[in-house]
Amino acid sequence: MKHFDQLVRRLVAEGLGTALLLAVVVGSAVMGDRLAGGNAAIALLVNSIASGCGLVVLILAFGAVSGAHLNPVVTLSEAWQRNLPGALVLPYLAAQVAGAFAGVALAHSMFGEPVFAAATQARTGAGLWWSEGVATFGLLATIIGCARTRPGATPYAAALFIVAGYWFTASSSFANPALTLARAATGTCAGIRLADVPGYVLAQLAGAAAATVIFGWLYPRARQETTADAPGLIRAVRQPAP
């Protein structure tokens, strides 16, 4: 019973955390677009700052319960590094995807938009796919590198990289398959056509895999390290809440 209760807490944390993340990302995109008066740079600045601030707060708030992955590629990478039991991967992914769609609905309800609407914004092409690979590689590199050297700084470093990614990548750094899929359900400026989602997700998976391999090699762990004591997103997240 204790293990079941612990699992439920983890999944609620991942679902709720991802929902709030999407509400921040989509909501700030809509607000920025409405207030910027057609100035795309101001709108992007608003969106990036709000997203980064929201991300660091959510990681700190949910990290001790589930690890605050809030992102399927983070979960897959953590399982690959043996920081997360393989049996939790699919439940985590399901909670993240469900939470992402809930977050879109939450943002829409605040701004008077339909609960869900098919996105029409085209986001496709080699440059954007490459951008998503680079963005996701950088995010996972930041998480793994910091987690194995300065774990307490990881939430801040990950959020700062996302803010930077909004500006230095052509795709504005989605770097999250659950977020990408859910943004196909918003007709706002934050959307991405459903037909363009697979290219983004494949690029994100490739970038995450490359970062996991390279940074796992750069920062090897001792053989005797276990899942319980290995450094991770933040050190506390390895110990689930009682």
Side-chain angles (χ1 to χ4, degrees), residues 137-148 153-154 156-159 161 211 215:
F137 177 91
L139 176 62
L140 268 294
T142 300
I143 291 171
I144 297 169
C146 289
R148 296 194 181 188
T154 308
Y156 309 98
F161 183 85
F215 278 78

Side-chain angles (χ1 to χ4, degrees), residues 103-204:
V104 169
L106 177 59
H108 284 179
S109 69
M110 291 189 289
F111 287 94
E113 299 286 339
V115 176
F116 294 114
T120 58
Q121 186 160 337
R123 299 180 190 265
T124 188
L128 296 183
W129 300 332
W130 178 244
S131 294
E132 278 303 293
V134 170
T136 312
F137 177 91
L139 176 62
L140 268 294
T142 300
I143 291 171
I144 297 169
C146 289
R148 296 194 181 188
T149 56
R150 300 184 62 190
T154 308
Y156 309 98
L160 286 171
F161 183 85
I162 288 297
V163 173
Y166 269 73
W167 289 92
F168 84 84
T169 65
S171 63
S172 73
S173 187
F174 285 34
N176 182 329
L179 177 147
T180 304
L181 182 59
R183 285 173 68 165
T186 176
T188 68
C189 58
I192 174 175
R193 293 184 311 181
L194 183 60
D196 299 334
V197 168
Y200 267 53
V201 172
L202 289 174
Q204 291 160 0

